[in-house]
Structures are given as C-alpha cells and as structure tokens.
Amino acid sequence: MLSSYLDANSHMSADAGRNSQHTRKRHRIRHRKSRLGCFSCKSRRVKCDEVRPVCGSCSSREEQCVFPDTPAASPKPIGSSRERRYPLRPRSISSPQPVPSYLEAWESQTTRRSGVSAPQDGDLRMDDLLSMQFFHMHTAQEMSLHAKRSTVWRRVIPCLAGKHHYLMHLLLALGGIHLVTHRLRRGPGEDHPSGKIELQSVMNHYQKGLQDFRKEVAVLSNANAEAVCAGSLLLVGFVYASLQVPELHPASWTSESASPPDMSTVLPPINRPEVNWLHLVRGVSTVIQGHWPALKASCLRPMVLHFHGDEFWKDVPFDSSLPDLSHCSPQLQLFAQGAFQAVTDMKAFHATLLSTDSNELHLTPDSSPSIPEWGVDGPSRAIDVLEGIYSRVISVFQCTANELGLPDDAEIQYNLEEAAVLGWPNLVPDVFIGILEVDGAAGHAWGVSLAILAHFYVVNTLVNRWYLGAFKEEILKIQRSVSSLHIAELDRLLIWPVAVATS
C-alpha cells in the first residue's frame, strides 16, 4: 500500500512538473508593442519585425503584407539582429504589386507609338478621369432602354476594357465625346458640373484605340470575338456622336482659326453629307455573323439578340392605317401620317429614272469602277429596304397602340429599340453606298440616292438617343447638296424628311 501511495505521489509530482514546465514554456517574453507593424501581423496579434516591403512573418506565410502609411520614421540600423533573423525574401506571387494609376499601364506603351509626351510625375490626367466618370455616370446609363443591354454597357464593357487596353482607349473616347456634345447642347457658358474636357484628348484616345483595334480585327477569331465586338460597339457610338461636333467638320475651320486636331487618319472630312460611317456599322454585323456561336454564349449576348428578329418582320405588310398617337410627340405623329406617301412618291420618281435615257442621267461607268455598270439597281433595292424599315416602324406604332391604347413616346422608344430599326445600314446594298460616295459625279442617280438616304436618316431622328443627335443636321446637309443639282422633283422629295426632322 505504501509503495502504491509513493507511486501515485511520484506520478502526481511528475505531472505537476510537466504542467509547471509547460506553463513556463507558454510564458511569453515581454517585449515592446509594434507600433508600425503590418496589418496582417496586427490582425493575428503577433509581433511584426517591420521589415519592408514584406515582413518576415508574411514572407514565411506567403501572405500579402501591407503597412500603414507612416510619417518620417527613423530607419532600422542596417544589419540588425532582427533583419538577420528574417532576411528579405523574394516576393511571392500573392504579394501586392505597386498600385499605379489606372492609365499608367497602357500610357507607357501608347506614348511611344503616338509620339505624345507622357505626363510628368505628379501630374493628374484630369481629362481621362472626367471621361471615365462621365462614362459611368451618364454615357453607359443612356445607351439603351433595355435592362440587360444597359447592364452590358454599365458592367460588361467596362470589365472588358480593364483587360484590353484598346477598349479602355475607346471607352474613354466615347465618354469624352459624350461630355463634349453635352457641353455643346448646354451652351458655352453652361459647362457641366463634371468639368470641361479638351477635344484633342478625346481624339488621342480614339486614335490609339483604333490603331490596336485594327490589329485585333486582322486576327479575328473566337478567342477575341467578344472584345472586338465590344470595340465595334464603342466605335459605332463614337462615330455617331462625332457628327455632332463642329470642330470635326473641316468646312467650319477658317484661316484665322487655330490648327484643327490631327485626325486625318481617323475620321474622313465632314464637309458634305457623311456616309463613311455606314461601313463601320456594317462591320459590326460582319463580326457578329462570322462568330455567332461564340458571341451568343458570351457576356455580350443581350447585344446580339433581339426579341423581334428580322425573321419576325419579313412578312409584315406595309399598313397605311394610322394608330392613335395623340399622346405622342408631333414628330412621331408626322411620321405616321406621311411615311406611306413618302415611299410612294420615291417609287414614282424612281420609275421616271427607269424610263429616261441613261445619258441624260449622267450615269458614267468610268466615274466609279467599283460599282458595276452603274444603272439604277442600287437605288431601286434601297427603296425596297426603306419600305421594309418604314413598315417596321409603323408596325411598332400599331402594336404599341393595340397593347397600351394611347402610348406615349417612352413606350414607343422602347419598342423601336426592340425592333432594331437602326439596323437598316446592314440591309442596304453595297452598290447604293457606292453611288453615295462619288459625290455629284453620277448626276440624278447620286441625287436620288441622297434623297433615299435622307429618308433613312428620318428613322434615326425618331430614336431618342444622345449619340444620334446629328441626323437632323445631316438631313439638312442632304437638302443643300440636292438643291445644288437644280432638280425640282428631288427637292420636293425632301420636303417631308426635313419636316419630320425639324418638327
């Protein structure tokens, strides 16, 4: 019994000794608190050795090491025991990199290509910040009335721009040109609260973005189709909006004015009705059709799908009955009242061209070899497309009125976007666009093609979007160009488009 008692006491003494030893082992050595340690060590409540840029603890744990901003502090003595214990190690993959300006990554590359001097250290690129701010606050919000397509503009395209430098340039160009056009509408003495931006800065971004965009188009594949499609949308919006800026019109420059921005390789001269933008709009359709499987499964799906596709509208008859649009704007009412007669008059005038000798029409094959045999086939086919688009617009009026009784402009605007009435550039024949590009060399054929174009532009004036604000003036330009031909019948054809655009 005594031996058992002694054995028990010895075990208890041994346990007590181990507990005491364990207690001593867990006892922490007192030390001064780390006032300038990293956030990671502070959160774990451990002593930080304060070695920058990555402390020893974070380096061993391969964690991010972020130090608080500190006033000028006395540096640790070189070769201290603490530093020898935790030598500086190479940064791990997860260690934070220096955070530059969001422009710095691509500014260094584009500066060498464009020859534009880079900003000095400490300079803030206010134009770029204003463009970015305006794009997020206004441009992206006003590009579409549909929730899903609006989300693409507000979230998807900016996300893609963060991955592709040329998209960021084009995004800044679109936001900048929107701010410029907004300032022009408000007047010179009423600048937007966001600030004022220089047009040259906007055009620089457009040039840089366009340069790399062309390289991407040259190697277009399913891998980059989504980014190229996003770039096409940004380009189309920019070119539409640029028609509203007088500084981009060479005809408005005078000998006393300052030198215009260097954009000769970016935008064609706009001293006559502009038609080159048609090729860009048609290019978007080419990208979509060529890579449809990839795009319909991408984040841009809402932009390439419409509830009312072209197949829906093929068999819709041109109905001359008028819906009740008494709650709508005079412009929509005037269009509904005169669209059917406008197409009828255009067909009648074109019929007179078919019965007139080609020599009297000045149809000279040598004036443009890109258009085979000239003739009047281009205008004829364009009139057929015009009739289909007008039928689509009238059908939108009728369907909206049948559904809502007395629709207003906002409800019709929503359905006009759903019906894709702005897609008419993809439907007109190439020969029609070719006639438009030869100026007055084709005589009557050029004049009637311009008149048809003015009727197409009426559709653009019906869609109330900020980037389409130039088409009223474009219709007036066409009227001035056609009047120079001194053909009374053509002048009469333009009375209705001008009335709708200016109502």
Side-chain angles (χ1 to χ4, degrees):
M1 180 180 295
L2 180 59
S3 62
S4 300
Y5 176 77
L6 293 176
D7 291 340
N9 284 342
S10 64
H11 287 303
M12 292 175 61
S13 299
D15 291 340
R18 283 194 296 269
N19 291 339
S20 176
Q21 184 179 11
H22 181 67
T23 303
R24 288 195 298 272
K25 185 180 295 185
R26 290 178 57 87
H27 180 70
R28 298 179 62 183
I29 302 174
R30 298 179 62 85
H31 60 267
R32 298 179 62 185
K33 295 183 64 176
S34 172
R35 300 290 184 182
L36 304 176
C38 70
F39 291 120
S40 179
C41 290
K42 286 181 181 293
S43 65
R44 296 199 308 272
R45 297 180 179 274
V46 299
K47 172 67 174 178
C48 179
D49 60 14
E50 302 180 15
V51 175
R52 297 174 182 252
V54 182
C55 73
S57 178
C58 291
S59 177
S60 62
R61 298 171 67 92
E62 296 188 353
E63 293 182 350
Q64 291 188 354
C65 185
V66 180
F67 287 89
D69 294 333
T70 60
S74 58
K76 291 179 176 292
I78 299 176
S80 65
S81 60
R82 181 77 57 184
E83 287 186 314
R84 286 195 299 272
R85 181 179 178 184
Y86 297 106
L88 182 62
R89 304 181 184 181
R91 291 188 179 185
S92 64
I93 296 177
S94 60
S95 297
Q97 302 295 326
V99 183
S101 164
Y102 75 98
L103 302 169
E104 183 179 333
W106 45 263
E107 176 64 21
S108 59
Q109 300 179 17
T110 55
T111 296
R112 292 192 297 269
R113 291 197 300 267
S114 63
V116 179
S117 58
Q120 299 298 320
D121 292 340
D123 287 352
L124 191 61
R125 301 193 54 142
M126 291 304 302
D127 280 355
D128 296 340
L129 296 177
L130 289 175
S131 296
M132 178 64 75
Q133 179 193 44
F134 202 83
F135 179 88
H136 284 291
M137 295 182 63
H138 302 281
T139 307
Q141 309 286 341
E142 300 173 19
M143 294 300 293
S144 176
L145 296 176
H146 284 246
K148 289 185 177 180
R149 286 192 280 276
S150 179
T151 299
V152 171
W153 283 103
R154 291 184 290 107
R155 298 181 182 178
V156 176
I157 291 181
C159 182
L160 290 172
K163 302 175 183 178
H164 303 276
H165 295 165
Y166 71 94
L167 291 183
M168 181 61 75
H169 282 299
L170 296 178
L171 184 149
L172 292 173
L174 183 59
I177 202 74
H178 188 189
L179 182 54
V180 170
T181 59
H182 192 278
R183 183 188 67 205
L184 293 174
R185 288 194 299 270
R186 293 171 65 93
E190 303 178 22
D191 287 336
H192 191 270
S194 298
K196 183 178 180 180
I197 191 171
E198 295 297 330
L199 181 60
Q200 182 64 64
S201 175
V202 175
M203 296 308 301
N204 284 343
H205 281 298
Y206 183 78
Q207 289 174 327
K208 295 173 184 177
L210 184 62
Q211 183 177 8
D212 287 343
F213 175 79
R214 287 169 173 162
K215 297 177 182 177
E216 291 294 316
V217 172
V219 292
L220 183 60
S221 65
N222 286 340
N224 67 345
E226 184 180 35
V228 171
C229 185
S232 300
L233 295 173
L234 291 167
L235 283 172
V236 169
F238 182 91
V239 172
Y240 273 134
S242 67
L243 298 176
Q244 305 176 55
V245 183
E247 290 88 343
L248 302 182
H249 295 217
S252 65
W253 300 335
T254 62
S255 57
E256 294 81 8
S257 63
S259 299
D262 182 14
M263 58 196 71
S264 58
T265 61
V266 182
L267 292 176
I270 311 178
N271 53 4
R272 58 181 175 79
E274 180 54 45
V275 297
N276 287 329
W277 65 269
L278 292 170
H279 296 292
L280 184 58
V281 176
R282 291 157 69 90
V284 177
S285 177
T286 302
V287 172
I288 294 174
Q289 293 174 3
H291 298 274
W292 174 248
L295 290 174
K296 72 178 182 180
S298 71
C299 295
L300 294 180
R301 176 184 174 88
M303 305 301 296
V304 299
L305 292 178
H306 287 82
F307 181 72
H308 299 312
D310 288 338
E311 294 294 328
F312 176 85
W313 300 97
K314 277 186 176 179
D315 300 324
V316 176
F318 192 98
D319 192 347
S320 60
S321 61
L322 298 179
D324 188 351
L325 302 178
S326 57
H327 288 190
C328 295
S329 64
Q331 184 185 33
L332 295 182
Q333 296 180 41
L334 187 59
F335 180 90
Q337 295 166 4
F340 180 79
Q341 188 60 48
V343 173
T344 301
D345 293 343
M346 189 68 67
K347 286 184 174 181
F349 178 78
H350 186 261
T352 63
L353 296 183
L354 296 177
S355 61
T356 305
D357 183 75
S358 62
N359 292 329
E360 296 180 14
L361 298 182
H362 309 291
L363 301 179
T364 56
D366 296 336
S367 59
S368 180
S370 62
I371 301 177
E373 300 180 2
W374 278 94
V376 288
D377 181 58
S380 176
R381 292 163 57 193
I383 292 174
D384 293 338
V385 174
L386 178 68
E387 182 176 12
I389 293 295
Y390 276 18
S391 174
R392 186 179 300 195
V393 175
I394 294 297
S395 296
V396 167
F397 292 171
Q398 292 170 336
C399 292
T400 310
N402 292 338
E403 179 184 5
L404 302 174
L406 294 174
D408 57 21
D409 277 31
E411 292 158 341
I412 287 181
Q413 287 294 323
Y414 184 93
N415 286 330
L416 284 175
E417 181 178 345
E418 195 61 69
V421 297
L422 294 180
W424 60 263
N426 300 316
L427 305 177
V428 295
D430 293 333
V431 65
F432 172 72
I433 299 178
I435 295 174
L436 292 170
E437 292 177 327
V438 299
D439 268 358
H444 286 62
W446 180 71
V448 72
S449 296
L450 276 181
I452 297 171
L453 183 64
H455 284 71
F456 277 120
Y457 281 0
V458 168
V459 177
N460 290 23
T461 65
L462 297 180
V463 181
N464 186 18
R465 297 293 183 279
W466 70 268
Y467 52 88
L468 298 175
F471 285 94
K472 169 185 173 181
E473 180 60 32
E474 289 298 306
I475 292 176
L476 297 177
K477 286 183 182 180
I478 291 176
Q479 183 189 39
R480 292 192 291 269
S481 297
V482 170
S483 65
S484 65
L485 299 176
H486 306 292
I487 303 174
E489 294 83 356
L490 280 177
D491 291 337
R492 283 194 291 269
L493 288 177
L494 289 172
I495 293 176
W496 180 79
V498 171
V500 175
T502 57
S503 60

